[in-house]
Amino acid sequence: MVAPELIKAAQSGDRDALITLLREIENHVYRTAYYILGNEQDAMDAAQEALIRIYTKINSYEEKAQFKTWVQRIVTNLCIDKFRRSKPTVSIEQHDMNFTASLTVEDEVMSGYVAQDIREAIDKLPEHHRSVVVLRYLQDFSYNEIAESLDLPINTVKSYLFRARAQLQTLLKDYKKPRSDAMHG
């Protein structure tokens, strides 16, 4: 994710290195916040707060954990705190969840509906399930990285993912059925 030399330079007080480091991770931080909170404004607020926290606490990062895991823990904890303080809202805005290239306008429209439905299904998950789903499937974290980021035992991570997948299957059960009748009906 980020070059170790850049992290060391930022920790040694190189202001330019720190700014470069923050610019390199800002999209990742925002994307995580957006997928957890489901609202663009809340995500921007949480991402900004996370970047400030990373800026002020860069010297507390130790190489025991991967840098992306350390950053992820900060972002996730801020989002969970923010989520607990306010009732979540479902954003109707498009997000950058992309599917495979579509061949027709009809396919593009359908993939937009699918993306929105998936986003809404993820939003309906309990916060601890949502966090592991976001980290695993949207941020591509390993089970160990998720466990480290959320400070959970690995078996708890696996259990949360299992339950979250079952909930998502139930919420998205309509996508298992052929949809051609709906399009030509």
Side-chain angles (χ1 to χ4, degrees):
M1 181 173 160
V2 175
E5 304 79 38
L6 185 60
I7 298 167
K8 288 189 187 314
Q11 287 180 311
S12 70
D14 182 337
R15 183 176 159 85
D16 291 336
L18 183 55
I19 290 169
T20 301
L21 174 84
L22 293 172
R23 284 193 178 130
E24 283 191 25
I25 64 171
E26 71 182 337
N27 285 336
H28 171 77
V29 168
Y30 169 77
R31 193 171 44 243
T32 298
Y34 181 83
Y35 282 122
I36 292 174
L37 297 170
N39 174 292
E40 186 175 345
Q41 190 60 50
D42 289 345
M44 287 180 2
D45 292 346
Q48 184 176 12
E49 196 174 331
L51 290 170
I52 290 169
R53 190 160 299 171
I54 292 163
Y55 178 87
T56 60
K57 300 206 178 279
I58 188 70
N59 289 325
S60 70
Y61 168 69
E62 298 172 4
E63 291 184 34
K64 291 186 284 187
Q66 290 184 26
F67 184 70
K68 77 174 188 175
T69 305
W70 182 76
V71 167
Q72 197 64 49
R73 175 178 275 175
I74 291 171
V75 176
T76 304
N77 287 342
L78 280 169
C79 289
I80 288 171
D81 289 346
K82 191 170 197 51
F83 184 80
R84 285 181 181 150
R85 286 191 302 254
S86 66
K87 188 174 170 128
T89 58
V90 177
S91 174
I92 321 173
E93 296 177 35
Q94 285 290 351
H95 48 82
D96 62 3
M97 183 183 286
N98 294 318
F99 290 87
T100 57
S102 299
L103 299 175
T104 66
V105 173
E106 184 177 276
D107 289 340
E108 287 183 31
V109 169
M110 286 307 294
S111 71
Y113 286 126
V114 171
Q116 183 174 343
D117 289 348
I118 290 171
R119 175 74 240 149
E120 289 174 2
I122 291 171
D123 285 346
K124 291 177 183 173
L125 294 174
E127 68 185 57
H128 53 282
H129 290 173
R130 183 179 320 119
S131 297
V132 295
V133 166
V134 166
L135 295 178
R136 180 71 183 132
Y137 298 109
L138 303 176
Q139 298 295 348
D140 203 28
F141 270 46
S142 70
Y143 291 146
N144 287 334
E145 290 170 332
I146 296 168
E148 262 185 67
S149 293
L150 300 177
D151 198 23
L152 294 171
I154 196 155
N155 285 334
T156 302
V157 169
K158 290 177 182 179
S159 172
Y160 284 178
L161 278 170
F162 177 81
R163 290 184 186 133
R165 281 192 297 261
Q167 289 173 301
L168 287 171
Q169 271 185 323
T170 301
L171 292 167
L172 297 168
K173 65 184 178 292
D174 292 340
Y175 287 101
K176 289 185 174 184
K177 300 173 188 165
R179 299 191 48 103
S180 60
D181 59 321
M183 293 303 298
H184 301 293

